[in-house]
DNA sequence: GCATTGGTTCGACGTATGTCAACATAGATG
DNA sequence: CATCTATGTTGACATACGTCGAACCAATGC
């Protein structure tokens, strides 16, 4: 049911993060809105990055070690490069724990992008 | 009132667009899924294109004349170039009616992209 | 300390991209 | 037909991007 809000909510802004822009269909984007939102789409606009992001997002707990997702057909420096791009776009965060580096998705960003693409009321 | 499908449908591949992929968080994308979905994100990954797309999508009836949306700060050939990119990505369709050319959004694509970004079940 | 494994950073290279000015095309209008 | 307006296309240019190998840091184990 609607037990989605029962989480401790450690980060107080984790529910309304990235109120960057209204749905694309609501009104024409301003220059600022476009320059804020476009980098997120751009980051997902490469097949390798999309696979890396999907691999992290679909992994247990939305978190994955680089070693678990690095098999995407390009060299390891290239994987690192793409993960950095995803980090810079705000879609992923990274953390080193001992030997390995773990990447996790920023759930609020996913929700915000989904809201951007919400279809208009097809009444 | 569901007369949306009464159009002649000149291009046969414009109707079944984008049952392309599951949500990004469901499982790691395959190479094919990534190469299908990435171009759509890529097309929205430029600020000018994002503004053009939003301008069309938010216009009355999801349709707009080029002359109504061309004021985005770049030259007219550049606008035309970006609209072509959005067309090639399957996000927009164009149609000439008399003097003006009208662009409209492909609603199914919007829905498909929104589904891609659906957040995981936080149960 | 030294070797090993995991991951990032650094150059370098070829290709793609965004942009414009100039030209071309399509309808409308005289 | 001539001309004007609205879009699209072409060619050129600077910049950004994706990719790799090599060099470099970070933790672990000998």
């Amino acid at each position: 049911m609607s037990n989605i809000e029962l989480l401790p909510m450690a980060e107080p802004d984790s529910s309304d993060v990235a109120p960057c822009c209204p749905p694309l269909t609501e009104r024409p984007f301003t220059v600022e809105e476009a320059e804020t939102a476009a980098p997120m789409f751009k980051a997902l606009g490469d097949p390798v990055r999309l696979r890396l992001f999907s691999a992290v997002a679909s992994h247990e707990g939305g978190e994955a070690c680089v070693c678990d997702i690095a098999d995407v057909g390009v060299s390891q420096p290239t994987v690192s490069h793409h993960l950095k791009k995803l980090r810079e776009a705000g879609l992923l965060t990274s953390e080193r724990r001992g030997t390995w580096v773990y990447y996790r998705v920023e759930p609020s960003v996913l929700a915000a992008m989904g809201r951007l693409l919400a279809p208009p009321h097809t009444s």
Side-chain angles (χ1 to χ4, degrees), chain A:
Chain A
M1 315 312 217
S2 61
N3 53 358
I4 311 171
E5 299 298 332
L6 293 179
L7 300 174
M9 212 86 91
E11 302 179 358
D13 56 341
S14 68
S15 53
D16 67 328
V17 191
C20 84
C21 314
L24 279 164
T25 56
E26 195 169 297
R27 55 167 173 75
F29 265 30
T30 67
V31 179
E32 289 186 356
E33 288 168 343
E35 289 181 346
T36 302
M40 305 184 196
F41 288 107
K42 191 175 191 176
L44 295 180
D46 178 87
V48 174
R49 280 200 292 272
L50 197 52
R51 286 219 287 154
L52 288 171
F53 184 81
S54 175
V56 174
S58 63
H59 211 261
E60 177 140 8
E63 177 179 277
C65 166
V66 175
C67 55
D68 287 330
I69 61 175
D71 190 17
V72 287
V74 296
S75 70
Q76 209 223 355
T78 303
V79 169
S80 191
H81 166 74
H82 283 308
L83 287 173
K84 184 180 184 180
K85 282 287 187 73
L86 289 167
R87 238 188 305 129
E88 290 171 347
L91 298 177
L92 295 179
T93 59
S94 66
E95 179 193 2
R96 168 163 233 134
R97 286 206 296 273
T99 306
W100 293 281
V101 175
Y102 291 86
Y103 279 78
R104 65 164 53 223
V105 301
E106 205 64 55
S108 56
V109 174
L110 248 185
M113 290 190 70
R115 203 167 48 239
L116 278 192
L117 295 169
H121 291 183
T122 326
S123 58

